[in-house]
Amino acid sequence: MTTTPHPLVVRARQLADGLLSPDAERVDQTQVPAGHIAAIKRSGLLGLGAPEEYGGSAAPAGVARETAEILAGACCSTWFVQTQHHTPVATLVKGAEPVRQRLLGPMARGELLSGVAYAHLRAHPRTPVRVVRERGGWRFDGTVPWYTGWGLNDVMLLAGVTDGGEALFAFTEARERPGMRASPPMRLAALTAARTVSLELDGMWLPEEAVAVRTPYEQWAAGDRPKTVAASPAVFGVTEAALGLVDDAVAGPLRARLAEIRSRAYALADEAAPHEHLDERLALRLRSYEVMRAATTAAVVSGGGRSMAVTSKAQRLAREAMFLLVQGQTAQSRRAHLDALAS
């Protein structure tokens, strides 16, 4: 018995094979091109989790994971730019009425691409971005250390902490404006192409109708915790791409380990409540890193001296794997990872 792939999985595979993968080494050394972003917008993938009444597909979580694996394995930089979009969409679905009605449709239909500026909330009790009431709206001050997709995104979801201890999320255009200044794009060991900058906020003001969510910080953190311990589909995608570069004698055992980890991680995501089995989820995340590290190392070794060229696919995947080791990292996950490496 065969199962027909979801249409969005088919589109992701077509994008990966026809556009992203053939161009990935060039993109890695330059930047994600406007043509890639236009293709992603046309594909329907930006609305995969959005409600149908707003133009989205309301696709199951399994489809979101599979498309993420495909895109990350083809071009991790392009995947990383577009993956930022899905959190703002999910925020709007439950967000305040004015901003939801204004943005959810265009974002679900792929007319607008959104980035995110909220990972700094995980630095609590430090507050890199502070928000205070001012003139019927909100004033933002501080530094967003990492913002990906600058010059590629249309809008951003910006977060800070209020004096009352709330996490506040608001939407604004992804461009410089009074009170917001971007650094030059960072030169990174991996994913420079995704155009990551830092943002300096000095009295940037947004109206009340730009606010999507205000919630006690502790409540937001409790909801965010499962995201930082779950195994990433991108890790599985990059690992699969690396295994495609080595012979079956090496790839076979690693692929079997990968399949076992993926199966259990995804089963927990589908069958358990988000706050359950957090220790097991984190253990699976760390095991997925081990297999990714082995697979990308095997790809580099298989390539020999050719792997030292910056145009080498094996080297690109190894550097992308290095990025994925720290993407979404928290103090807890860092400590657990270091302990696992030491043991």
Side-chain angles (χ1 to χ4, degrees):
M1 179 178 178
T2 60
T3 301
T4 302
H6 191 281
L8 290 178
V9 172
V10 173
R11 289 176 209 164
R13 179 60 67 191
Q14 290 170 339
L15 268 178
D17 294 344
L19 178 65
L20 305 187
S21 187
D23 208 24
E25 276 67 61
R26 184 189 68 82
V27 168
D28 175 63
Q29 295 301 308
T30 54
Q31 69 176 52
V32 175
H36 281 30
I37 299 301
I40 291 286
K41 285 182 171 182
R42 290 192 303 266
S43 70
L45 290 167
L46 295 181
L48 66 82
E52 292 179 352
E53 59 265 33
Y54 285 90
S57 297
V63 171
R65 293 192 294 258
E66 189 169 0
T67 57
E69 287 189 25
I70 292 168
L71 297 179
C75 177
C76 202
S77 292
T78 302
W79 162 78
F80 193 50
V81 172
Q82 68 81 40
T83 201
Q84 314 290 314
H85 181 85
H86 302 295
T87 294
V89 168
T91 301
L92 283 171
V93 169
K94 299 179 180 180
E97 181 75 14
V99 71
R100 181 174 71 245
Q101 292 304 321
R102 179 167 59 90
L103 291 178
L104 184 52
M107 288 170 58
R109 295 189 296 269
E111 297 163 11
L112 296 176
L113 176 67
S114 181
V116 295
Y118 78 89
H120 49 272
L121 290 181
R122 294 169 180 154
H124 195 77
R126 291 192 298 110
T127 54
V129 176
R130 302 168 303 283
V131 190
V132 297
R133 277 201 174 277
E134 184 177 281
R135 293 183 286 121
W138 297 91
R139 172 186 170 124
F140 290 75
D141 291 279
T143 300
V144 175
W146 305 93
Y147 179 80
T148 294
W150 188 254
L152 299 171
N153 297 325
D154 303 297
V155 296
M156 71 167 70
L157 177 62
L158 173 64
V161 177
T162 69
D163 290 342
E166 295 175 306
L168 183 146
F169 294 78
F171 281 87
T172 185
E173 293 182 339
R175 60 174 178 81
E176 288 196 343
R177 54 176 295 165
M180 181 168 71
R181 180 173 54 85
S183 73
M186 299 178 190
R187 183 67 184 170
L188 306 172
L191 276 70
T192 289
R195 292 185 62 84
T196 296
V197 300
S198 62
L199 299 173
E200 292 299 326
L201 306 175
D202 182 14
M204 189 188 76
W205 182 86
L206 292 177
E208 181 67 40
E209 55 265 28
V211 176
V213 173
R214 283 174 58 198
T215 188
Y217 177 84
E218 291 75 14
Q219 183 175 326
W220 173 83
D224 181 64
R225 171 86 172 102
K227 301 175 187 176
T228 65
V229 300
S232 167
V235 169
F236 299 131
V238 167
T239 304
E240 287 282 11
L243 291 176
L245 300 179
V246 302
D247 62 53
D248 290 343
V250 176
L254 290 174
R255 192 168 277 121
R257 287 169 57 191
L258 186 72
E260 182 266 323
I261 295 166
R262 179 200 279 121
S263 176
R264 180 55 182 162
Y266 288 174
L268 285 174
D270 289 337
E271 298 166 10
H275 62 278
E276 295 177 339
H277 304 286
L278 296 183
D279 289 342
E280 183 181 2
R281 292 177 201 255
L282 180 54
L284 290 164
R285 180 186 179 109
L286 300 183
R287 288 180 60 200
S288 75
Y289 288 159
E290 292 174 7
V291 181
M292 178 177 66
R293 183 178 56 182
T296 53
T297 300
V300 168
V301 171
S302 295
R306 295 185 304 276
S307 297
M308 293 300 98
V310 293
T311 55
S312 161
K313 180 175 181 178
Q315 186 196 113
R316 172 177 61 82
L317 291 168
R319 288 186 284 105
E320 290 172 351
M322 180 174 63
F323 162 79
L324 292 172
L325 291 177
V326 298
Q327 191 239 339
Q329 186 185 65
T330 63
Q332 180 185 13
S333 64
R334 180 189 301 112
R335 184 71 263 159
H337 196 178
L338 291 172
D339 290 346
L341 290 170
S343 63

